[in-house]
Amino acid sequence: MNELGTLTEKFNQASDKNKLKLIDDLIAKGEEGYQFLREFLSSSQGHSPNPVLGKIYQTLKNSDNQENINFIEDKIPQGIVHPQSSLNIDYSELQELLIIKEYQKADVLTRVKLCEIAGEKATQRKWLYFTEIAKFPINDLHTIDLLWNVYSEGKFGYSIQRKIWLSQGKDYIELWAKLKWKDGNRWTKYPQEFIWDLSAPLGHLPLSNQLRGVREIDALFAHPAWVTENA
Ligand code: UYC
């Protein structure tokens, strides 16, 4: 078998975590690697979106290879997630920003969308009461979390942050340290000291301002969106 054949076979048998790494090796093979990735993505349509498919999508869409760009435009122009909303909220711009890894813009837009979910008053106020968060539709929180997860190699999103928080015994001091939101006694300064790419620690984004205390993020982590999935 040729080198590419060995690589694609390895890819097919790999765990998702290893697939993420092997995507880079496939890209290094040039057009043949890209062709494999296009076919893999095609044959995965109808599967639920995950970070492996998200990384392949981003790689093809953000490459300067015309065949990749044509493939994306013809087959999957909007992204691999079909955003669900119980409130008819449009998440397509959030998907676009995450696909091109504009994580800082996506972070800002995520807060705008949370206010949109909460309603007119929150949108004008530009921040949330914890009582509003408790009433958020599960669908919309799942969509926002899925978009972040799928287009960050599984690194970002609220459900990841919540898992870290649970693993730290629901201790916010520990959570802030893990997410690099605080370094010792020093709060990370918004926005310039946050890390806006995939070199960030697990769960670093999206941000929740802690200026008004932890009740907001606490309501987010207590939401049934996460509890029903994995207790
Ligand atoms: N900021 O420090 N933050 C702001 C974070 C705190 C502060 C926005 C995160 C600590 C002020 C976002 C951290 C603190 C403003 C974040 C952080 C503080 C502001 C923009 C680490 C001082 C502007 C959206 C936990 C010690 C005032 C927003 C205002 C803004 C995020 C200060 C996303 C994760 C306790 C003074 N900070 N924030 O919510 O209200 O305004 O405009 O968390």
Side-chain angles (χ1 to χ4, degrees):
M1 212 180 325
N2 64 17
E3 230 181 300
L4 184 82
T6 316
L7 186 54
T8 57
E9 188 168 309
K10 197 165 148 199
F11 182 86
N12 285 328
Q13 287 163 8
S15 66
D16 281 2
K17 200 178 162 201
N18 284 328
K19 277 192 173 76
L20 285 172
K21 293 185 195 141
L22 289 169
I23 291 168
D24 297 318
D25 298 342
L26 283 161
I27 297 164
K29 297 286 173 211
E31 176 50 29
E32 279 186 312
Y34 279 135
Q35 192 184 342
F36 173 81
L37 291 172
R38 290 194 298 268
E39 281 162 14
F40 187 86
L41 193 57
S42 282
S43 66
S44 307
Q45 283 200 291
H47 292 218
S48 29
N50 64 33
V52 169
L53 300 175
K55 183 173 177 178
I56 294 173
Y57 185 87
Q58 287 172 307
T59 298
L60 296 176
K61 168 133 180 170
N62 301 334
S63 74
D64 50 19
N65 170 310
Q66 199 56 44
E67 271 192 78
N68 290 343
I69 292 162
N70 293 346
F71 167 84
I72 292 293
E73 287 309 311
D74 290 351
K75 300 266 170 64
I76 330 171
Q78 326 249 39
I80 60 168
V81 175
H82 301 285
Q84 306 288 309
S85 171
S86 300
L87 300 165
N88 266 319
I89 290 174
D90 183 357
Y91 294 104
S92 58
E93 191 188 350
L94 183 59
Q95 177 153 224
E96 283 165 28
L97 290 173
L98 289 167
I99 288 167
I100 58 173
K101 300 190 183 176
E102 286 279 359
Y103 294 118
Q104 185 166 0
K105 286 181 184 158
D107 178 68
V108 171
L109 184 59
T110 296
R111 277 185 300 282
V112 170
K113 289 293 164 186
L114 292 183
C115 287
E116 201 177 327
I117 297 172
E120 195 79 32
K121 280 185 194 155
T123 298
Q124 279 169 19
R125 190 194 315 127
K126 295 194 169 72
W127 52 277
L128 299 162
Y129 289 129
F130 64 95
T131 45
E132 294 169 326
I133 297 172
K135 289 183 277 187
F136 280 6
I138 289 175
N139 258 340
D140 290 67
L141 277 183
H142 275 177
T143 294
I144 292 172
D145 187 57
L146 184 65
L147 287 169
W148 276 98
N149 181 263
V150 160
Y151 297 118
S152 68
E153 305 188 15
K155 185 162 245 181
F156 298 145
Y158 298 121
S159 60
I160 298 284
Q161 292 173 346
R162 178 175 177 273
K163 272 189 202 149
I164 297 170
W165 172 75
L166 288 177
S167 77
Q168 300 304 309
K170 304 189 177 183
D171 184 326
Y172 282 100
I173 311 273
E174 295 296 327
L175 179 72
W176 296 329
K178 284 267 172 205
L179 304 185
K180 273 209 198 171
W181 287 5
K182 201 171 182 181
D183 187 6
N185 281 330
R186 253 191 92 258
W187 296 97
T188 304
K189 282 201 176 56
Y190 179 82
Q192 69 273 19
E193 289 180 356
F194 289 91
I195 302 161
W196 304 104
D197 57 48
L198 292 180
S199 70
L202 196 65
H204 191 63
L205 302 175
L207 301 181
S208 292
N209 194 0
Q210 307 293 300
L211 188 60
R212 294 172 208 87
V214 299
R215 284 179 110 176
E216 181 180 334
I217 198 166
D218 211 45
L220 208 50
F221 291 159
H223 195 278
W226 327 123
V227 184
T228 51
E229 261 186 324
N230 50 321

